[in-house]
Each structure stands twice: as structure tokens, then as C-alpha cells.
Amino acid sequence: MTIRAHVNAPRLDTRVRWERNFPLDTPSGGRVADWRLLFESAAAVDGAKASGPEPLADGGIRTPRDYTVWIRADIFTRFALTPLDRGVWKGRILNIADIPDQGLRGRLIAVICRAGMNAG
């Protein structure tokens, strides 16, 4: 029996695109970020009002907001997702803030992400 047999599939109701940075050298000797698709997966996104935009702070700057993105554990291990990668969900860039070490005890892995202008 595979790990997928015990995952509540209807809970994974949205798609998240996971990207990895492959920096390119420029002719002038600098480096440019080149984000490429690593994988796309079904996910569950938790967060306060997860469907709304990030709240505005003073001066119209969007403040960061944390989200918990749940993905299947077998996908996490297959693609070796790291904090240097990022997710794209509904057009928002989700920088990975933390991937708690769960020892793959569960069938889903929590990926803590941060979205917003101040997230880097």
C-alpha cells in the first residue's frame, strides 16, 4: 500500500507550482536569478483569510503573511524541496520560510511559506 492511499485527496484542493533558482552568469560577470519549474502539486493552503491579498501597511506596502502549504510526503522526498526554493500560488510568490523536520511521520508535509513585499 502506498502513502497516497491514506491521503485525504479532497483536502488538497489547489495547485502550487514549486520553482528552483538556477542562477545564470551574465556577460558582464554578474548573476541573474532564473526560476525554473521543479514540480507542480496538489496542495492545501492554510492561513488567515488565505484567499485574500496581503494586508496593506503604511505607505501602501504589502506586509508579509505566513501560509502553511500541505503537500504529500512522497512528493516532498522525491523532489527534495529546500528553503532555497519557492512556490507560486494564485500568482503570489511564496518564499519558503521553514520546513519543520517531521521525519516523514505523516502522510502530508507542512511547508511554511511567506508572501508579501517584505519577504525578500
Side-chain angles (χ1 to χ4, degrees):
M1 186 175 303
T2 67
I3 197 167
R4 283 182 251 179
H6 298 290
V7 173
N8 182 5
R11 180 167 185 246
L12 305 177
D13 61 352
T14 191
R15 304 290 296 174
V16 176
R17 175 184 170 100
W18 298 97
E19 299 176 341
R20 182 164 286 164
N21 187 10
F22 295 93
L24 296 175
D25 294 326
T26 62
S28 62
R31 296 195 87 155
V32 177
D34 182 25
W35 291 96
R36 296 183 191 171
L37 175 66
L38 183 59
F39 65 97
E40 188 171 325
S41 68
V45 180
D46 296 336
K49 298 180 183 174
S51 61
E54 289 81 24
L56 291 173
D58 189 29
I61 297 174
R62 298 240 181 237
T63 59
R65 176 179 281 171
D66 289 341
Y67 297 96
T68 302
V69 180
W70 296 90
I71 61 174
R72 287 191 351 232
D74 60 329
I75 290 179
F76 171 81
T77 55
R78 186 180 324 146
F79 292 101
L81 198 62
T82 70
L84 299 176
D85 301 325
R86 73 179 187 184
V88 179
W89 173 65
K90 294 185 177 182
R92 295 184 196 137
I93 293 179
L94 303 173
N95 296 308
I96 298 176
D98 190 20
I99 303 173
D101 182 16
Q102 301 170 25
L104 298 180
R105 288 187 302 268
R107 307 221 187 302
L108 297 176
I109 295 292
V111 181
I112 311 302
C113 297
R114 182 161 289 147
M117 290 293 289
N118 301 333

